[in-house]
Amino acid sequence: MHRGARRASLLGGKMAAPGAQPQILVQYLVLRKDLSQPPFSWPAGALVAQACHAATAALHIHRDHPHTVAYLQELGRMRKVVLEAPDETTLKELAEALQQKNIDHMLWLEQPENMATCIALRPYLKEEVNQYLKKFRLFK
């Protein structure tokens, strides 16, 4: 489907009740903020690349999940939210918590350093994952 498509992605092909808000899928990413600061001082492009790698990998790994299928049906309506983690330890702790709660995600490891840089969740409804992400603020 191309960018100009107008139909809404509805989960499971179900129609929303009259007056009800459609269920919107969001792909959340959590990117390490410390990589933009000394001693790392990575340029913005390198940080964006890490988020892109993680997002692409999460979508690919979970490509058959109904939420991912629905999310990819309308490329012009994809929603992503990029949050910041202060450091690698916090990012790895989040990955462990998500794993324990069976929240589908991808922890991107930059090679050859094997350094955790970003987590991308597969597309979820906000209310399904908000409790795990509410302590993280928008990436600035």
Side-chain angles (χ1 to χ4, degrees):
M1 182 167 295
H2 59 55
R3 185 168 178 78
R6 295 280 185 224
R7 75 176 178 84
S9 290
L10 300 174
L11 297 179
K14 297 177 183 173
M15 297 296 293
Q21 294 292 328
Q23 294 182 316
I24 298 171
L25 293 167
V26 179
Q27 186 177 27
Y28 288 93
L29 295 96
V30 184
L31 183 61
R32 282 180 52 192
K33 180 66 175 177
D34 66 322
L35 294 176
S36 68
Q37 303 162 340
F40 300 105
S41 300
W42 287 18
L47 290 173
V48 170
Q50 297 304 302
C52 290
H53 292 323
T56 303
L59 290 171
H60 179 72
I61 290 167
H62 302 288
R63 66 187 171 274
D64 295 326
H65 190 282
H67 282 181
T68 305
V69 172
Y71 182 79
L72 293 173
Q73 284 179 344
E74 287 200 63
L75 298 178
R77 292 182 175 259
M78 286 193 284
R79 293 187 183 196
K80 287 185 175 43
V81 173
V82 182
L83 306 170
E84 63 182 40
D87 53 39
E88 188 173 22
T89 300
T90 305
L91 194 70
K92 286 182 173 181
E93 288 170 353
L94 174 60
E96 186 175 313
L98 294 173
Q99 183 71 31
Q100 289 174 358
K101 298 297 183 182
N102 294 314
I103 302 296
D104 295 334
H105 67 283
M106 173 68 188
L107 173 63
W108 186 257
L109 300 174
E110 179 63 8
Q111 298 301 327
E113 300 88 351
N114 207 40
M115 178 191 313
T117 59
C118 187
I119 290 174
L121 280 63
R122 70 157 168 81
Y124 275 94
L125 297 172
K126 180 180 179 180
E127 49 275 5
E128 292 179 309
V129 295
N130 190 46
Q131 63 183 320
Y132 309 110
L133 303 173
K134 63 184 174 187
K135 77 173 188 176
F136 299 97
R137 63 182 188 178
L138 288 174
F139 191 92
K140 293 182 181 178

